[in-house]
Amino acid sequence: MAATPIRNPLAALRAELDLSGEEYLDRLDNSHHALGYGRMAKRREKVSRWETGVHAPDEPTRYAMAHLHGIPPAAVTELGWPGFLLLAFPRDRPVLDSPWSPAGTVAAVAAAARGGSMDRRGFLISSGAALSSIASHWSNAVTAAPLPLAAPGRRLDPDLMTRLERRLDDLRHLDDVLSGSDLLPSAVEEYRLLSGYASNTTCDSTISRRVFTALAEASRMCGWLHFDADQHAQAQRFYITSLRASASAGDAEVGANTLNFMAIQTYSKGNPQDAVNLVRTAQSRVAGMTTPRVRALLHARAGRALSKTGDLKGCAREFNAARDAFSRGTHDDDPPWAYSITEGEIEMLAGSSALDLGDPRRALHSFAAAQQAEYSAAGHVRDGLLYLTRTARAHLELGDVDAACATAAEALQQNSIVNSVRPSDALTDLRDQMAPHREVRAVREFLKMSA
C-alpha cells in the first residue's frame, strides 16, 4: 500500500495514534488540566487550524502536548512549534533515542527497517537543535574502537565479509545508472542481510568494524534512494541509522559521507543552515585524517549548502577549496565510495549554486566546464538529467529561450527512461517557468511534448 503523505507533525501524530480531532482535544484537555492550566476551550476547528498553520497553540497548550506525548518540557522551547512534536512518534524513538553503542545501533537498525506507518513528506523526523545534537553525538561516539561481536549466530569470516562488501559496491555503481525505484528493493534487502549479521553473528573486532561500516553504507544508500523516491521521513531514519552504524564501526569517513547526503535532504526539504551545520560537523571530525578526494567532496557539499543560505562569498571559498583538494589526485586509501566525486560533479554543483545565487551566466560557465570534464561519460545518468534541467533554466533566465527549449527537450527525452522523482519534479518546475513564453513556437512545442 502506498504511503500517505502528511505534512504537519500534529496531523501525522494523530493519524499514527488513530485519533480524530475531537478525540485528540479530549486527551489534550486532560493533560492541560493535570498541569494546572485549567480546562481548554474545545472548539472543533482548533486542531485543524493548528495543523494548517492558521493558528499556533499557546504556550500552556504546547506544554500540555509535550506532557501528553512524553516529550521533555525543555524541547518545547528548544525546538519550537511544531518541531518539538517530532520527538513524539513511537516508531522513530529507537532511531532518535537509542544509546550510541553497538546495541543501540542494532535497535535503530531494526526500527529503520520497519519504517513508519506513513511518509511525512512535508517535514523530517529531526531538525534544528535536535538534528545538530544527533550530529554531535555521532562525532563524539565515532572515536570508540569497534567491539567484537559475540551473538549466538554463525561466525563471520573475512572471505564472506569481502563478498558482502563487493555486493554493496555493485549497488553503489548501479545507483549511478538505474532509477531509485528500480534499485530501492535490492538496497533494502542488502540492508536487511547486513543487519542480520550485525545482530546475530560472532566475529573479532576487525570484522566487526567491516560489518558496521558496510551496514552504515547500506543504510546510507537506503536513505538516498528513499529520498530520491520522495519518502523523506523514511530517508532520514536510514540516514540517522547510518550514522549510528558508522559510530559503532569507529569509521568517521563513512559517517562524514552520510552527513554529506543528509545535507542534501536537509537543504532540499528543511532548513539550509541545518545542512551547513551537518557538513561542518563532518569536516571538523575528519580534518587531518582523510584524503583530498573526501575533503573535496565535503567542500563542494558545504558550498552547495551555503548557496541555499545566500552566502555568496562562503560558497565561492568552499568551491575553490574543493577544486584545490581535488587537484591533489587520488590516493590508495580513498574510501570505495569516493569515486563519485569528480571534476564534473564539483563544477555541476558550482553551477547549480550560482543559479540559486542569481548568476545564470556563471552557472552556464560551470556547466560547460563540467561537460568538458566529461561529466556525462561518468555514467551518472540521473544526476546528469537533473543538471540538464538546470542548464535549461540558466538559458531561460538569460533570455535565450531557444537554447532553453533545446536543452529542456533533451532532458525530457532522457527522462522517459529514468524513473526518478527529482528530475521529473525539476522538469515540472521548468515547464512552469517556460509557460509565460508560450508565444514562442519552441516553447509551445516543448509544453505540448511534456504535457
Side-chain angles (χ1 to χ4, degrees), residues 389-421:
T389 64
R390 293 175 186 171
T391 302
R393 176 184 151 199
H395 283 304
L396 188 64
E397 291 185 9
L398 286 170
D400 191 344
V401 179
D402 288 336
C405 288
T407 307
E410 182 182 354
L412 186 65
Q413 182 180 11
Q414 291 190 21
N415 191 51
S416 65
I417 59 173
V418 177
N419 183 19
S420 178
V421 171

Side-chain angles (χ1 to χ4, degrees), residues 5-134:
I6 298 181
R7 297 185 176 276
N8 182 277
L10 179 56
L13 187 55
R14 281 198 307 105
E16 190 152 310
L17 296 173
D18 194 24
L19 295 175
S20 68
E22 291 81 0
E23 290 169 335
Y24 184 79
L25 273 180
D26 285 340
R27 293 194 184 187
L28 185 60
D29 179 39
N30 291 334
S31 178
H32 196 272
H33 184 261
L35 291 177
Y37 296 131
R39 291 293 180 183
M40 297 175 60
K42 294 188 290 183
R43 291 186 295 273
R44 296 179 61 184
E45 70 275 11
K46 181 172 286 190
V47 172
S48 64
R49 289 185 175 183
W50 291 338
E51 293 175 352
T52 56
V54 175
H55 292 297
D58 59 24
E59 188 174 84
T61 302
R62 296 182 195 185
Y63 281 110
M65 286 181 178
H67 180 261
L68 176 61
H69 299 296
I71 299 171
V76 174
T77 53
E78 289 175 2
L79 303 181
W81 168 261
F84 72 88
L85 284 178
L86 296 177
L87 301 180
F89 293 87
R91 297 191 185 208
D92 294 340
R93 286 286 177 88
V95 174
L96 296 173
D97 296 342
S98 292
W100 285 80
S101 65
T105 296
V106 170
V109 162
R114 288 192 302 270
S117 56
M118 63 204 69
D119 183 51
R120 308 191 295 275
R121 295 186 184 180
F123 57 94
L124 307 176
I125 73 169
S126 185
S127 61
L131 187 59
S132 295
S133 177
I134 288 170

Side-chain angles (χ1 to χ4, degrees), residues 157-168 210:
D157 60 66
D159 288 342
L160 179 55
M161 192 64 234
T162 297
R163 291 179 182 274
L164 292 169
E165 289 164 341
R166 286 173 180 167
R167 287 163 58 105
L168 201 57
R210 292 171 66 182

Side-chain angles (χ1 to χ4, degrees), residues 422-444:
R422 291 183 302 130
S424 296
D425 286 348
L427 278 168
T428 298
D429 291 343
L430 189 59
R431 288 188 82 257
D432 293 341
Q433 292 162 355
M434 285 189 171
H437 304 276
R438 62 176 65 250
E439 74 279 359
V440 178
R441 179 179 178 181
V443 172
R444 290 197 303 273

Side-chain angles (χ1 to χ4, degrees), residues 142-208:
V142 79
T143 59
L147 299 173
L149 296 176
R154 66 175 297 175
R155 184 166 189 84
L156 188 58
D157 60 66
D159 288 342
L160 179 55
M161 192 64 234
T162 297
R163 291 179 182 274
L164 292 169
E165 289 164 341
R166 286 173 180 167
R167 287 163 58 105
L168 201 57
D169 195 52
D170 286 341
L171 278 175
R172 264 193 297 264
H173 285 82
L174 285 171
D175 179 45
D176 297 333
V177 295
L178 294 181
S179 68
S181 60
D182 289 339
L183 195 57
L184 181 55
S186 297
V188 170
E189 286 305 310
E190 201 70 17
Y191 171 84
R192 287 174 175 160
L193 176 65
L194 288 164
S195 67
Y197 281 114
S199 61
N200 191 30
T201 195
T202 298
C203 60
D204 61 25
S205 58
T206 300
I207 300 298
S208 171

Side-chain angles (χ1 to χ4, degrees), residues 54-403:
V54 175
H55 292 297
D58 59 24
E59 188 174 84
T61 302
R62 296 182 195 185
Y63 281 110
M65 286 181 178
H67 180 261
L68 176 61
H69 299 296
I71 299 171
V76 174
T77 53
E78 289 175 2
L79 303 181
W81 168 261
F84 72 88
L85 284 178
L86 296 177
L87 301 180
F89 293 87
R91 297 191 185 208
D92 294 340
R93 286 286 177 88
V95 174
L96 296 173
D97 296 342
S98 292
W100 285 80
S101 65
T105 296
V106 170
V109 162
R114 288 192 302 270
S117 56
M118 63 204 69
D119 183 51
R120 308 191 295 275
R121 295 186 184 180
F123 57 94
L124 307 176
I125 73 169
S126 185
S127 61
L131 187 59
S132 295
S133 177
I134 288 170
S136 178
H137 280 304
W138 165 79
S139 183
N140 293 329
V142 79
T143 59
L147 299 173
L149 296 176
R154 66 175 297 175
R155 184 166 189 84
L156 188 58
D157 60 66
D159 288 342
L160 179 55
M161 192 64 234
T162 297
R163 291 179 182 274
L164 292 169
E165 289 164 341
R166 286 173 180 167
R167 287 163 58 105
L168 201 57
D169 195 52
D170 286 341
L171 278 175
R172 264 193 297 264
H173 285 82
L174 285 171
D175 179 45
D176 297 333
V177 295
L178 294 181
S179 68
S181 60
D182 289 339
L183 195 57
L184 181 55
S186 297
V188 170
E189 286 305 310
E190 201 70 17
Y191 171 84
R192 287 174 175 160
L193 176 65
L194 288 164
S195 67
Y197 281 114
S199 61
N200 191 30
T201 195
T202 298
C203 60
D204 61 25
S205 58
T206 300
I207 300 298
S208 171
R209 174 187 173 92
R210 292 171 66 182
V211 169
F212 281 113
T213 292
L215 183 57
E217 181 63 356
S219 188
R220 193 277 306 166
M221 288 185 61
C222 287
W224 171 245
L225 294 170
H226 277 93
F227 167 74
D228 188 56
D230 210 24
Q231 297 174 16
H232 296 290
Q234 183 68 339
Q236 200 178 37
R237 290 186 194 99
F238 275 113
Y239 281 146
I240 296 171
T241 301
S242 175
L243 287 181
R244 289 181 174 279
S246 72
S248 294
D251 192 330
E253 284 182 319
V254 76
N257 189 40
T258 296
L259 288 172
N260 160 57
F261 278 86
M262 289 179 75
I264 299 171
Q265 182 187 37
T266 304
Y267 64 58
S268 300
K269 294 295 178 180
N271 184 339
Q273 187 57 52
D274 288 347
V276 174
N277 296 342
L278 291 175
V279 183
R280 293 301 189 214
T281 299
Q283 289 176 312
S284 175
R285 187 62 193 80
V286 300
M289 59 170 287
T290 193
T291 67
R293 187 61 57 94
V294 175
R295 291 200 300 273
L297 170 69
L298 294 175
H299 281 305
R301 187 59 58 200
R304 187 72 182 105
L306 286 166
S307 75
K308 297 289 188 175
T309 71
D311 187 346
L312 179 64
K313 292 183 178 179
C315 175
R317 283 195 300 270
E318 291 294 340
F319 277 111
N320 287 335
R323 296 180 182 104
D324 179 66
F326 185 82
S327 71
R328 299 175 187 272
T330 59
H331 283 235
D332 291 340
D333 56 346
D334 280 334
W337 41 263
Y339 77 91
S340 64
I341 188 66
T342 64
E343 181 182 355
E345 174 71 4
I346 292 170
E347 294 305 330
M348 281 295 185
L349 288 171
S352 296
S353 298
L355 196 56
D356 284 347
L357 288 167
D359 193 344
R361 197 171 302 280
R362 179 176 291 275
L364 283 180
H365 177 78
S366 291
F367 290 149
Q371 293 298 329
Q372 290 174 4
E374 297 184 348
Y375 177 87
S376 59
H380 296 75
V381 176
R382 181 177 54 238
D383 291 342
L385 171 57
L386 190 62
Y387 290 129
L388 270 178
T389 64
R390 293 175 186 171
T391 302
R393 176 184 151 199
H395 283 304
L396 188 64
E397 291 185 9
L398 286 170
D400 191 344
V401 179
D402 288 336

